[in-house]
Structures are given as structure tokens and as C-alpha cells.
Amino acid sequence: MPLEQRRALVAQRRRKAVLDDWTATPLAVLAGASPQDAAARPDLRIPLAAVVLLIEQSHGDLDAAALFQELREQLRLPLPEPIDPDRAEPERLPLVRIPRLELDKIAIDRVFKLFNRAMLSGASAAATAVAREIISRDSPDFDAAPAYRFLIRSEPDYDQALSLISRARRWAEQAGQPIGEWVLSELEIHIALDDAASVDRSLNEIAALRVKEPGIAEAAYRMLYASGLLEPQQPTLRTAPPAPAAVPTSRLWTPSEPPGPPAAAGGKKPVIWTP
């Protein structure tokens, strides 16, 4: 089955699970009522809104915002409003509200603080929103690599991931940063897509970069080996060096020579050296 068709089926099943199956399921947090029934009870409106928010946050995909907006409309819940940072303290704002912040109004240093906070807390929805804001500013004056890295790794769509990698490469070139990391990311996706021609192009580029970026060739080898595309390298057998020839012992001992072995019992005494 083609990849695009699989994605469409997954999205269709997810939509049904959220809008149909979940809304008809009785929940203990709603006093045993289903979300669909709780929508008609004023005393359950706040718990219902909280449950929807928790599910949205656990989903962690900002691209599903339209789905949860439709869910709120179906349950007759108010839609979340944007948050003006001039009327709130972003650093003190709960992480579940970060995606609603008007991030374009916040200075970049504060945006990075929000990104680090979201990453340390494992708040993927907040981290995604802030990372997208960071790369949207498209400036070589700050380190956007962590934001690109997070977005690429969390992007399920290979085409979107390749687009992000292309943007990351342009940013790195403008900032005078190495591009090897992004070339390796491209190679990883081309391997996953079983795109032999693109894999070959990436390997040629890696070969050209290996002098300027030490370690990139080894990283590519490990990736190819982990993917089953290469056999493990066989260790080279080395011949042991020949033993040094025995040095003949002298009958005369001099101060510059180590003493020889003691004479056997009954043997001749060694000749004593005299100046």
C-alpha cells in the first residue's frame, strides 16, 4: 500500500476515534457520562473542557488542531483564544497554553527560554509551537539547530521532514555551520524511503565532506550497517613481529653490560673485568 494511502487511512481512523468513538464512551471523570451527554449538562462543562484539553495535549500534534477544534464545536465548547504576551507572563504560563501564545510578539531570547522549558518538561505540543516560531525567523544570528533537530525528528511525514532538512541546510550555510548533520538526516530518510538514487547522491556528498567534517563518513557507515545495507567490516589479521635475535653473551663483563646469569654449580667462574 502506498505511503500516502496509509497516512490517509490513519488520519481517517483517528478522526473517527476522536469524534465518534470517544465522544460516545462513558467516562468516570464525567460522573459516568459520555462526552456527548456531558455537553448538555452545565455542571459538567468545565470537566469536559479539561478532558478535551488533556487529550489534545497528550496527542502532541499541532497539525491535529483542526480536529480538536471540530471536536469542541461538536461538544459546544468555547474555542481557545490566542494569548497576548503583553497581557501575560510567558515564562509563568502553563505549558498547555504555550501553543496559544502569540509568539511572534516575543523577543527571540525569551522564545528560546520557552523552547528549553518545553523540551525539559517533555511538552511536545508546546515545543513544536515554539520551534516553528524559531525557524520562522530564519536568522543566522542565533542557533536554530536544536529547533530544526526537534522538528525533523518528530515529523512523521517524510516529505515535510525533507523540506525541514533543506531549510536547516540553508540556515547552516548562512550561519557558517557544518552541514554534515543535515546530510546524514537526508540519508536516513532516503534509506527509509528505499530511494536508491537519493541514497547514492547523499553518499557522494558525504564522501566530499569527509575531509572538512571528520567523523561524517563513519556515521554514514554506521547508519548503512544498522539498516542492513552493509556487511560488517572484517578485522585485518596482523602477523606478529619476529622475535629479536638473541644477543650473544660475552665472556668478559664490563660495567656497561648487565650481569649475566649466575654460573651453574661446579662450573667455571666468570672472568672478572679489571680496568
Side-chain angles (χ1 to χ4, degrees):
M1 181 182 298
L3 181 61
E4 292 300 326
Q5 187 176 354
R6 292 203 305 269
R7 288 175 181 161
L9 290 174
V10 169
Q12 182 180 356
R13 181 65 189 93
R14 179 174 60 184
R15 175 183 172 82
K16 182 180 184 302
V18 172
L19 298 179
D20 298 335
D21 300 341
W22 181 77
T23 55
T25 302
L27 302 176
V29 71
L30 298 176
S34 68
Q36 188 173 355
D37 294 335
R41 294 178 52 177
D43 60 317
L44 294 178
R45 300 287 290 171
I46 293 179
L48 178 60
V51 171
V52 170
L53 179 60
L54 287 175
I55 292 178
E56 182 179 18
Q57 290 297 315
S58 64
H59 195 277
D61 184 3
L62 284 183
D63 294 329
L67 173 62
F68 286 96
Q69 180 174 340
E70 186 176 353
L71 175 63
R72 288 185 172 93
E73 291 174 349
Q74 178 178 319
L75 297 175
R76 299 184 295 280
L77 292 172
L79 300 179
E81 296 290 335
I83 298 175
D84 187 345
D86 294 333
R87 298 183 178 181
E89 295 184 53
E91 291 79 7
R92 295 179 176 271
L93 207 62
L95 288 169
V96 294
R97 297 183 182 178
I98 296 297
R100 295 167 50 196
L101 264 176
E102 295 177 326
L103 293 165
D104 57 328
K105 297 181 179 180
I106 303 177
I108 190 61
D109 58 331
R110 299 178 71 189
V111 172
F112 269 103
K113 289 180 181 178
L114 290 174
F115 178 68
N116 293 334
R117 178 187 168 203
M119 290 292 289
L120 289 173
S121 302
S124 58
T128 300
V130 181
R132 288 178 177 176
E133 174 61 27
I134 290 173
I135 69 171
S136 72
R137 304 201 181 186
D138 195 23
S139 172
D141 298 332
F142 51 80
D143 186 10
Y148 276 114
R149 195 175 296 123
F150 170 76
L151 291 173
I152 291 168
R153 290 177 179 174
S154 58
E155 177 55 61
D157 188 309
Y158 287 141
D159 292 334
Q160 292 295 328
L162 287 172
S163 177
L164 285 168
I165 292 171
S166 179
R167 292 179 61 181
R169 287 186 57 158
R170 288 197 302 271
W171 166 81
E173 290 168 351
Q174 293 173 0
Q177 299 293 328
I179 64 171
E181 175 183 358
W182 315 118
V183 178
L184 288 170
S185 296
E186 280 183 333
L187 174 62
E188 185 176 11
I189 293 178
H190 293 324
I191 291 173
L193 291 173
D194 198 19
D195 186 346
S198 296
V199 168
D200 190 56
R201 285 196 301 270
S202 294
L203 290 176
N204 288 335
E205 188 170 9
I206 288 169
L209 287 172
R210 64 180 181 177
V211 175
K212 293 192 299 183
E213 300 190 29
I216 187 174
E218 291 77 5
Y221 172 83
R222 289 193 296 269
M223 189 181 298
L224 293 170
Y225 174 67
S227 303
L229 299 178
L230 283 182
E231 295 292 334
Q233 291 181 343
Q234 297 297 328
T236 303
L237 296 178
R238 296 183 178 180
T239 305
V247 179
T249 57
S250 173
R251 294 181 67 254
L252 297 179
W253 176 82
T254 63
S256 62
E257 297 177 353
K268 296 181 179 180
K269 294 182 179 180
V271 178
I272 304 300
W273 175 84
T274 57

